[in-house]
Amino acid sequence: MTEAEAGLQGLPTQDPTSSLIQLLNLGELEGARTDEDIFMGPSQQQPRHRVFGGQVLAQSLVAGSRTVDADRSVHSMHGYFLRPGDANKPITFGVQRLRDGRSFSARRVHAYQEGMPILSMIASFQAEDEGIEHQSEMPAGIPDPESLPSTADLLGKFDHPVARHWAYERPFDIRHVDPALYVSAEGPREARNAVWMKTFGPMPDDAGLHRAALAYASDYTLLESVLRRHGMSWITPGMSVASLDHAMWWHRPVRVDEWLLYVQESPSAQGARGLATGRIFSRDGRHVATVAQEGMVRVPNELKNDDFKDTAQGAVQTAI
């Protein structure tokens, strides 16, 4: 695959689910000669021209999975976002084969742009096995996703590139259980958040692709549990938010083209950083994955107490 074939100009306009599938269809780089397995992938166009963190997480997992036996699925990953990525350029993925044991394989994946790493990840893959089992219980009393407004319902009326992208171009249908934080922060200031999510269209019957796509979606709303606790929305004036790291564990088989409940909470925020954790459940109550992320959250001095109101202007999400 050449850089042009990898999507130097970004993905073509098409339905969001097809764009996601193409985004995760990495190719091997022709002529590469290093101690790593080298792949290339396109970048998804973004209104602010920064690579979406969930995209590079998902692509890195796909790259790693290409180097392990087909019967081994990713069960955990830990990644650090090192630099903002440029959504107008493709990404190179270098996979180092750390270990292949009897049941587990470990891979280190670096995502590069212009020779510089933008993400560093270690992922572990396991062959299916039997063992003890228990799980968290899915919260009770959650409204059905069909009863909740979609992002398009909430943002479709706004003539703004970020609003249009979130409303119509993202591959996942996101529906907030509590009032969404897109333009205001209504309701109790609790360090909790929950959304239903699924792809708009069907996905191929590829278990690894579904796990990678779940990593993609896990980065959408996780830090909202931090923002909600302090009465902040995504357009709080002068706010700057960026993901610093991302950890994820897959527990059970999952399909991202079926409704999933993503329950999130923030145990701590300090030092311009907020920690958020999330549990993902299938609609029938299976605990399919757990996520943790720390993010940078900076606000102007006058907003560092809880006595301010949201306004419809300011930053949506900026880089470090």
Side-chain angles (χ1 to χ4, degrees):
M1 174 177 282
T2 66
E3 284 198 352
E5 291 168 336
L8 186 58
Q9 302 303 320
L11 295 172
T13 301
Q14 54 188 316
D15 77 88
T17 304
S18 296
S19 294
L20 176 64
I21 294 170
Q22 182 179 345
L23 193 73
L24 300 181
N25 185 25
L26 306 185
E28 294 188 47
L29 185 61
E30 296 172 357
R33 295 292 184 272
T34 74
D35 63 350
E36 300 176 320
D37 296 271
I38 305 296
F39 302 90
M40 289 199 70
S43 290
Q44 185 179 43
Q45 294 298 305
Q46 299 286 336
R48 295 181 180 273
H49 308 292
R50 297 296 176 91
V51 173
F52 171 52
Q55 172 201 312
V56 70
L57 289 171
Q59 290 176 315
S60 295
L61 288 172
V62 171
S65 69
R66 296 279 182 87
T67 69
V68 302
D69 293 342
D71 66 341
R72 299 191 176 195
S73 300
V74 64
H75 70 88
S76 69
M77 69 88 166
H78 300 256
Y80 282 89
F81 298 101
L82 303 177
R83 294 175 177 83
D86 186 342
N88 298 308
K89 299 176 182 178
I91 304 174
T92 302
F93 300 89
V95 182
Q96 185 179 11
R97 303 185 183 213
L98 299 179
R99 180 179 184 271
D100 287 300
R102 186 176 63 181
S103 302
F104 292 87
S105 293
R107 297 293 185 265
R108 188 224 69 190
V109 185
H110 280 168
Y112 302 96
Q113 281 191 323
E114 298 184 329
M116 301 295 290
I118 63 174
L119 176 86
S120 180
M121 171 194 293
I122 291 182
S124 182
F125 302 78
Q126 182 191 17
E128 187 174 349
D129 203 351
E130 297 291 333
I132 59 174
E133 185 167 335
H134 70 270
Q135 69 159 63
S136 299
E137 292 299 316
M138 182 175 176
I142 301 293
D144 292 336
E146 293 86 358
S147 69
L148 300 171
S150 68
T151 303
D153 293 332
L154 298 175
L155 295 181
K157 60 186 177 182
F158 294 104
D159 184 18
H160 188 279
V162 173
R164 290 194 299 271
H165 177 77
W166 287 8
Y168 301 117
E169 298 173 12
R170 297 198 297 189
F172 278 80
D173 187 352
I174 305 292
R175 304 197 177 198
H176 283 75
V177 173
D178 296 306
L181 300 181
Y182 297 131
V183 297
S184 64
E186 302 174 0
R189 293 187 179 184
E190 298 176 338
R192 296 183 295 179
N193 194 60
V195 299
W196 288 99
M197 61 186 186
K198 75 175 184 69
T199 58
F200 283 101
M203 294 282 287
D205 291 328
D206 179 333
L209 186 65
H210 282 263
R211 291 193 176 208
L214 187 61
Y216 179 103
S218 70
D219 192 39
Y220 273 139
T221 61
L222 189 52
L223 293 179
E224 290 185 356
S225 58
V226 179
L227 303 185
R228 195 178 294 279
R229 169 63 180 82
H230 296 275
M232 297 187 292
S233 76
W234 284 111
I235 60 171
T236 295
M239 182 180 73
S240 180
V241 177
S243 303
L244 298 174
D245 62 4
H246 199 96
M248 190 165 181
W249 299 262
W250 291 259
H251 310 309
R252 293 170 178 83
V254 61
R255 290 197 67 94
V256 296
D257 50 7
E258 298 175 353
W259 284 114
L260 300 167
L261 179 65
Y262 193 7
V263 181
Q264 305 146 7
E265 63 179 18
S266 174
S268 181
Q270 71 297 308
R273 305 186 320 275
L275 177 65
T277 62
R279 293 173 295 152
I280 303 176
F281 297 89
S282 63
R283 193 165 187 173
D284 60 4
R286 290 178 300 112
H287 185 181
V288 298
T290 300
V291 189
Q293 182 180 97
E294 190 170 49
M296 181 202 75
V297 183
R298 290 180 177 148
V299 295
N301 288 332
E302 62 269 20
L303 301 184
K304 289 181 179 177
N305 58 62
D306 287 339
D307 301 322
F308 67 91
K309 296 181 180 179
D310 297 309
T311 63
Q313 56 186 349
V316 174
Q317 182 171 356
T318 59
I320 297 175

